Amino acid sequence: MTQYLSIPKAAKHVRKSKQALYRAICRGTLQSIRIDGLLYTTTNWLDFFEEHKGESDRIKKHGRRLFDAKKGTYNVKQVAKILNVLPSQVYDYIYKGKMRSFRYGDYQVIDKEEIKAMKVKLKQKRDQQKTAWQTNAIVICISKNWCCHDIV
Protein backbone atom coordinates (compact mmCIF):
# COMPACT_ATOMS: atom_id res chain seq x y z
CA MET A 1 0.00 0.00 0.00
CA THR A 2 1.32 3.42 -0.94
CA GLN A 3 1.90 6.09 1.66
CA TYR A 4 -0.02 9.28 0.93
CA LEU A 5 1.35 12.67 1.99
CA SER A 6 -0.82 15.72 2.59
CA ILE A 7 0.15 18.79 0.58
CA PRO A 8 1.73 20.63 3.56
CA LYS A 9 3.90 17.58 4.35
CA ALA A 10 4.73 17.15 0.67
CA ALA A 11 5.78 20.81 0.49
CA LYS A 12 8.24 20.24 3.33
CA HIS A 13 9.46 17.06 1.63
CA VAL A 14 10.36 18.81 -1.65
CA ARG A 15 11.17 22.20 -0.03
CA LYS A 16 8.57 24.14 -1.99
CA SER A 17 5.62 26.21 -0.88
CA LYS A 18 2.16 24.72 -0.51
CA GLN A 19 0.87 27.18 -3.10
CA ALA A 20 3.42 25.97 -5.64
CA LEU A 21 2.24 22.38 -5.20
CA TYR A 22 -1.42 23.38 -5.43
CA ARG A 23 -0.68 25.26 -8.68
CA ALA A 24 1.15 22.22 -10.03
CA ILE A 25 -1.85 20.05 -9.20
CA CYS A 26 -4.20 22.50 -10.95
CA ARG A 27 -1.91 22.57 -14.02
CA GLY A 28 -1.84 18.80 -14.06
CA THR A 29 1.92 18.48 -13.66
CA LEU A 30 1.68 16.94 -10.17
CA GLN A 31 -0.53 13.94 -9.69
CA SER A 32 -2.79 13.89 -6.63
CA ILE A 33 -5.78 12.12 -5.14
CA ARG A 34 -8.65 13.56 -3.12
CA ILE A 35 -9.52 11.68 0.07
CA ASP A 36 -12.22 13.06 2.38
CA GLY A 37 -12.03 16.45 0.66
CA LEU A 38 -8.26 16.85 1.09
CA LEU A 39 -5.58 16.46 -1.58
CA TYR A 40 -2.82 13.89 -1.11
CA THR A 41 0.18 12.87 -3.16
CA THR A 42 2.90 10.22 -2.93
CA THR A 43 6.69 10.42 -2.88
CA ASN A 44 6.83 8.70 -6.29
CA TRP A 45 4.57 11.36 -7.78
CA LEU A 46 6.69 14.09 -6.15
CA ASP A 47 9.89 12.59 -7.56
CA PHE A 48 8.34 12.41 -11.03
CA PHE A 49 7.24 16.05 -10.66
CA GLU A 50 10.76 17.12 -9.68
CA GLU A 51 12.35 15.25 -12.59
CA HIS A 52 9.99 16.75 -15.18
CA LYS A 53 9.30 20.17 -13.68
CA GLY A 54 10.54 22.19 -16.67
CA GLU A 55 8.43 20.38 -19.23
CA SER A 56 5.19 21.89 -20.44
CA ASP A 57 3.93 18.80 -22.26
CA ARG A 58 1.76 17.62 -19.38
CA ILE A 59 -0.12 20.90 -18.73
CA LYS A 60 -3.89 20.53 -18.79
CA LYS A 61 -6.69 22.99 -19.50
CA HIS A 62 -10.14 21.95 -18.28
CA GLY A 63 -8.86 18.41 -17.73
CA ARG A 64 -7.44 18.04 -21.25
CA ARG A 65 -3.84 18.36 -22.36
CA LEU A 66 -2.98 21.77 -23.72
CA PHE A 67 -0.23 20.50 -26.02
CA ASP A 68 -1.42 17.31 -27.70
CA ALA A 69 -0.06 16.01 -31.00
CA LYS A 70 -3.25 14.02 -31.61
CA LYS A 71 -5.29 17.24 -31.50
CA GLY A 72 -2.69 19.19 -33.44
CA THR A 73 -1.58 21.68 -30.77
CA TYR A 74 2.11 22.15 -30.02
CA ASN A 75 4.31 24.35 -27.84
CA VAL A 76 7.25 26.42 -29.07
CA LYS A 77 9.86 23.81 -28.16
CA GLN A 78 8.03 21.09 -30.09
CA VAL A 79 7.55 23.37 -33.12
CA ALA A 80 11.23 24.28 -33.12
CA LYS A 81 12.12 20.59 -33.19
CA ILE A 82 9.67 19.91 -36.04
CA LEU A 83 10.90 22.87 -38.14
CA ASN A 84 14.57 22.23 -37.27
CA VAL A 85 15.09 25.81 -36.04
CA LEU A 86 15.82 27.40 -32.67
CA PRO A 87 12.95 28.21 -30.27
CA SER A 88 13.96 31.89 -30.45
CA GLN A 89 13.31 31.79 -34.20
CA VAL A 90 9.82 30.39 -33.58
CA TYR A 91 9.13 33.25 -31.16
CA ASP A 92 10.43 35.63 -33.82
CA TYR A 93 8.07 34.17 -36.46
CA ILE A 94 5.16 34.61 -34.05
CA TYR A 95 6.18 38.17 -33.15
CA LYS A 96 6.56 39.21 -36.81
CA GLY A 97 3.23 37.63 -37.76
CA LYS A 98 4.64 34.91 -40.00
CA MET A 99 3.11 32.23 -37.76
CA ARG A 100 -0.13 32.49 -35.82
CA SER A 101 -0.56 31.21 -32.29
CA PHE A 102 -2.70 31.80 -29.25
CA ARG A 103 -1.62 32.27 -25.69
CA TYR A 104 -2.67 30.27 -22.68
CA GLY A 105 -1.09 31.86 -19.64
CA ASP A 106 2.64 31.98 -20.28
CA TYR A 107 2.50 29.46 -23.11
CA GLN A 108 2.20 29.91 -26.87
CA VAL A 109 -0.03 27.27 -28.44
CA ILE A 110 0.56 26.64 -32.15
CA ASP A 111 -1.80 24.75 -34.44
CA LYS A 112 -0.73 21.97 -36.84
CA GLU A 113 -1.85 23.90 -39.96
CA GLU A 114 0.42 26.81 -39.03
CA ILE A 115 3.36 24.42 -38.75
CA LYS A 116 2.62 22.93 -42.17
CA ALA A 117 2.41 26.40 -43.74
CA MET A 118 5.66 27.45 -42.10
CA LYS A 119 7.39 24.27 -43.33
CA VAL A 120 6.44 25.18 -46.90
CA LYS A 121 7.70 28.77 -46.46
CA LEU A 122 11.01 27.62 -44.99
CA LYS A 123 11.49 25.05 -47.76
CA GLN A 124 10.91 27.71 -50.42
CA LYS A 125 13.33 30.06 -48.67
CA ARG A 126 16.03 27.38 -48.45
CA ASP A 127 15.53 26.47 -52.11
CA GLN A 128 15.89 30.14 -53.12
CA GLN A 129 19.07 30.46 -51.06
CA LYS A 130 20.46 27.29 -52.60
CA THR A 131 19.77 28.43 -56.18
CA ALA A 132 21.16 31.90 -55.37
CA TRP A 133 24.38 30.30 -54.13
CA GLN A 134 24.65 28.16 -57.25
CA THR A 135 24.12 31.12 -59.60
CA ASN A 136 26.68 33.19 -57.66
CA ALA A 137 29.17 30.32 -57.90
CA ILE A 138 28.63 30.12 -61.68
CA VAL A 139 29.11 33.88 -62.09
CA ILE A 140 32.36 33.77 -60.07
CA CYS A 141 33.44 30.72 -62.05
CA ILE A 142 32.93 32.46 -65.38
CA SER A 143 34.53 35.73 -64.27
CA LYS A 144 37.64 33.95 -62.91
CA ASN A 145 37.85 31.56 -65.90
CA TRP A 146 37.49 28.50 -63.65
CA CYS A 147 35.83 25.31 -64.61
CA CYS A 148 32.16 25.43 -63.59
CA HIS A 149 31.96 21.67 -63.14
CA ASP A 150 34.46 21.77 -60.28
CA ILE A 151 32.33 24.08 -58.11
CA VAL A 152 28.75 23.05 -58.90
Side-chain angles (χ1 to χ4, degrees), residues 92-103:
D92 193 43
Y93 297 148
I94 293 168
Y95 178 74
K96 290 182 178 178
K98 295 179 180 179
M99 182 183 286
R100 289 183 298 182
S101 69
F102 66 92
R103 289 187 63 102

Side-chain angles (χ1 to χ4, degrees), residues 78-92:
Q78 293 168 335
V79 172
K81 192 172 183 179
I82 292 169
L83 296 177
N84 199 20
V85 296
L86 296 173
S88 59
Q89 289 175 303
V90 175
Y91 282 116
D92 193 43

Side-chain angles (χ1 to χ4, degrees), residues 22-74:
Y22 281 119
R23 281 184 299 206
I25 290 169
C26 289
R27 275 196 314 264
T29 56
L30 176 60
Q31 195 171 354
S32 67
I33 188 168
R34 189 175 294 273
I35 301 172
D36 294 332
L38 297 174
L39 288 172
Y40 293 93
T41 187
T42 65
T43 54
N44 292 339
W45 294 342
L46 287 170
D47 293 338
F48 184 79
F49 169 70
E50 285 293 311
E51 289 174 14
H52 303 283
K53 64 182 173 184
E55 298 175 2
S56 61
D57 299 338
R58 298 179 296 128
I59 294 177
K60 295 181 181 177
K61 177 182 177 184
H62 304 298
R64 296 184 180 150
R65 285 192 172 195
L66 186 60
F67 307 114
D68 193 2
K70 293 176 185 173
K71 294 179 185 174
T73 55
Y74 297 89

Side-chain angles (χ1 to χ4, degrees), residues 136-150:
N136 288 341
I138 291 171
V139 169
I140 291 171
C141 175
I142 293 171
S143 65
K144 300 279 185 178
N145 292 327
W146 293 341
C147 179
C148 297
H149 299 290
D150 295 338

